[in-house]
Amino acid sequence: MGAIAIRKALADAGVEWRDIQFGFAGSYEIDNPDAVVALMGLTGIPFTNVYNGCATAGSVLALAADAIRLGDYDLGIAVGMDKHLPGAFSADPRLYACPSWYGELGQFLTPKFFGMKINKYMHDHGITSPTLARVVAKNLRNGALNPNAFRRKPLAEEEILGSRMLNYPLTQYMFCSPDEGAAAVIVCRADRAHRYTDKPIYLRASAVRTRRLGAFEVHSPWLPIEETVGPTVDASRAAFEKAGIGPEDVDVIQLQDTDAGAEVIHLAENGFCADGDQEKLVADGELEIGGRLPVNTDGGLIANGEPIGASGLRQIHEVVLQLRGQAGDRQVPGDPKVGYTQLYGAPGVAGVSILSL
Amino acid sequence: MARIPIAEGLFTSMSDDARLIGGRCTACEIVTFPIQGSCPRCPSTDMTEHPLPRHGRLWAWTTQEFPPPSPPYLGPKGDAFVPYGVGYVQLGDDVRIETRITTAEGLKIGMEMELVLVPSWTDKDGNEVIAFAFRPVV
């Protein structure tokens, strides 16, 4: 699937594989995603394999952009691919610097963390379960309009609320699923982009941040009493500063919706609203494709699953289509000019990218 | 057939008044759980054992209503699985620790919680493995 994504990206850019001077490839399951070059052509280019938790794909893009900025190359590729087994991710907790008993007792689980985080957030900021169901229903409706989505069947809010409770208040249909996916992005020097397209999309900023002491993070057997904001907030602020714009300038938004609660929390963590405002924004349809803050217009993780290595490049793909006006039935109206993407997950890492025409 | 702790150095005894053993940085005084070899805040590697309060307040919680992937999970699976609560309990001004909760029902942020030692499973040598959990104080 990685090779399929690369061929589509090459065709879109009007370049050949032999023109590509370097690559970065992200994956969790594949030890050596560089294997994809054997399917494309063994041209001898530097090709670097990357795994950086749930921010893998954001890191791949940031590294590829930096390679161009350093002046070493003019044209390269960022690609991500993964294929996960069904069910919650699992690993030896010691690989995450957690004690063995933490896993033996059934605490080394990401869905449980997301349940705790949104349950506390709802308690503190007055968000309700029907809002979570509305977010899922929206993302599945958007996914139904996306031919590449993994889940394309809309669900009623009652079905979402009534599905099996997994980690209170999150039901089965409020979570995304691990699946198979790939995405690829061609990057080039900004001053040469017009050679390949008459409507280039510029990467204005990318930022990756890890958790600071006091952030409420996944896989934490303990937390200090002192509290601070999560890595998404830090990455978001850094990216906006680099881009020289603010949340009010963004026209289309892709957020990490590992579960419906994550989308709700991330809307505030990325500066698009105040804590608690999501209840009304969702009820008023402001996160819909035609709303004031269109979020996860391709269905997000809830409709596309989370192939970790590809997920953030899938967000970039969607933003590029939206900014070019090529998103078809799910096109955000009003000629969007600025797009925003955010990744977050284990082990407490976030990646943000800002793109514009 | 003996009662054995799930890990060495995790609690002070196997009796009803057992306390969990945290770690305290001698330089900046942050408390961790369990004890670790170096401080997560300052560069110190001088961490001392620090017994934690047995009572605290529930800071955040959820329920675990499906059996976790095994490995690493060693508890009851299939029809024997019973949903449990999980949460962070704030122990005084020391630390918030993540813990299993003895029930998945009636949990509320801010409620008072107390430490209990619970038999969790039988290991391959026939030993009863004892772990810790917190229960609501009613």
Side-chain angles (χ1 to χ4, degrees):
Chain A
M1 205 180 263
I4 295 170
I6 290 173
R7 288 193 191 100
K8 287 190 168 188
L10 292 170
D12 179 78
V15 297
E16 305 280 336
W17 175 250
R18 63 171 175 269
D19 301 326
I20 298 295
Q21 298 166 342
F22 73 96
F24 285 90
S27 189
Y28 172 57
E29 306 284 357
I30 304 165
D31 282 346
N32 182 31
D34 154 293
V36 75
V37 302
L39 304 176
M40 297 308 307
L42 296 163
T43 53
I45 57 170
F47 201 87
T48 305
N49 304 304
V50 177
Y51 171 64
N52 197 22
C54 288
T56 294
S59 301
V60 164
L61 182 64
L63 290 164
D66 285 345
I68 299 266
R69 287 191 189 104
L70 283 170
D72 290 346
Y73 310 106
D74 301 328
L75 187 71
I77 191 161
V79 57
M81 65 203 88
D82 252 317
K83 183 176 183 177
H84 307 292
L85 295 170
F89 287 124
S90 183
D92 183 335
R94 288 172 297 180
L95 301 177
Y96 285 75
C98 292
S100 291
W101 57 259
Y102 188 64
E104 294 167 0
L105 287 175
Q107 294 174 235
F108 187 72
L109 276 174
T110 52
K112 167 223 73 181
F113 163 76
F114 291 112
M116 278 195 287
K117 184 141 185 179
I118 188 61
N119 197 23
K120 178 167 171 56
Y121 192 87
M122 290 162 76
H123 172 269
D124 291 349
H125 301 293
I127 305 294
T128 63
S129 287
T131 292
L132 302 183
R134 285 187 193 114
V135 166
V136 176
K138 166 186 69 78
N139 290 356
L140 291 176
R141 274 198 307 278
N142 293 351
L145 301 174
N146 175 4
N148 289 327
F150 171 59
R151 295 189 189 287
R152 302 198 59 199
K153 186 180 145 211
L155 285 173
E157 288 160 27
E158 303 75 53
E159 283 178 276
I160 296 159
L161 282 170
S163 64
R164 187 179 161 208
M165 185 62 72
L166 296 184
N167 298 99
Y168 184 89
L170 299 173
T171 65
Q172 180 179 353
Y173 295 150
M174 291 180 186
F175 281 104
C176 77
S177 304
D179 64 348
E180 179 177 12
V185 172
I186 309 288
V187 289
C188 75
R189 277 175 53 162
D191 59 358
R192 299 194 181 175
H194 278 285
R195 293 185 188 182
Y196 307 105
T197 173
D198 53 10
K199 205 167 185 183
I201 306 299
Y202 297 97
L203 180 63
R204 295 294 178 185
S206 50
V208 175
R209 289 292 185 277
T210 57
R211 63 214 169 281
R212 287 186 282 139
L213 184 70
F216 182 8
E217 292 303 316
V218 66
H219 301 330
S220 300
W222 64 280
L223 295 170
I225 304 291
E226 64 198 67
E227 294 178 32
T228 191
V229 296
T232 290
V233 177
D234 292 334
S236 177
R237 287 175 184 163
F240 276 126
E241 191 179 328
K242 266 189 219 171
I245 61 169
E248 65 283 0
D249 300 313
V250 175
D251 303 312
V252 56
I253 304 163
Q254 314 299 322
L255 300 177
Q256 174 93 16
D257 54 331
T258 316
D259 63 282
E263 179 171 317
V264 167
I265 293 170
H266 291 152
L267 197 69
E269 286 194 339
N270 289 283
F272 294 109
C273 71
D275 289 322
D277 286 357
Q278 300 96 327
E279 185 77 3
K280 184 165 189 313
L281 288 169
V282 171
D284 292 348
E286 296 287 18
L287 310 191
E288 305 281 341
I289 286 170
R292 189 163 59 79
L293 296 165
V295 175
N296 291 332
T297 48
D298 67 351
L301 278 73
I302 285 173
N304 290 280
E306 190 185 15
I308 287 175
S311 198
L313 294 173
R314 187 258 312 153
Q315 295 177 326
I316 299 292
H317 174 263
E318 175 65 5
V319 164
V320 167
L321 291 185
Q322 292 285 350
L323 299 188
R324 287 177 177 171
Q326 296 174 341
D329 292 343
R330 60 182 197 280
Q331 178 64 45
V332 167
D335 301 325
K337 291 176 181 56
V338 178
Y340 185 97
T341 72
Q342 174 250 350
L343 296 168
Y344 167 79
V349 59
V352 168
S353 302
I354 299 174
L355 300 99
S356 76
L357 280 174
Chain B
M1 169 101 153
R3 292 171 81 230
I4 61 166
I6 188 166
E8 293 299 326
L10 202 54
F11 24 88
T12 53
S13 75
M14 296 277 274
S15 54
D16 287 346
D17 60 356
R19 295 169 70 173
L20 294 173
I21 302 171
R24 191 173 60 85
C25 172
T26 57
C28 79
E29 301 197 328
I30 194 169
V31 176
T32 71
F33 176 75
I35 189 169
Q36 56 187 58
S38 59
C39 176
R41 182 161 59 193
C42 72
S44 171
T45 51
D46 191 10
M47 304 286 288
T48 58
E49 286 194 359
H50 180 80
L52 298 169
R54 299 189 69 255
H55 287 77
R57 301 244 169 224
L58 191 56
W59 183 77
W61 65 273
T62 185
T63 54
Q64 182 60 39
E65 306 204 19
F66 63 94
S70 180
Y73 174 65
L74 293 182
K77 297 184 269 283
D79 291 343
F81 177 77
V82 179
Y84 49 89
V86 187
Y88 284 92
V89 174
Q90 179 165 338
L91 300 173
D93 292 328
D94 279 354
V95 66
R96 297 175 182 134
I97 68 156
E98 191 191 317
T99 178
R100 281 182 57 151
I101 302 168
T102 53
T103 176
E105 306 290 333
L107 299 174
K108 287 191 170 47
I109 286 175
M111 71 196 308
E112 189 181 355
M113 310 288 288
E114 71 178 344
L115 176 70
V116 285
L117 297 186
V118 288
S120 293
W121 56 81
T122 304
D123 73 10
K124 62 183 186 331
D125 300 321
N127 297 309
E128 189 179 52
V129 175
I130 306 296
F132 70 93
F134 276 73
R135 70 179 170 210
V137 177
V138 287

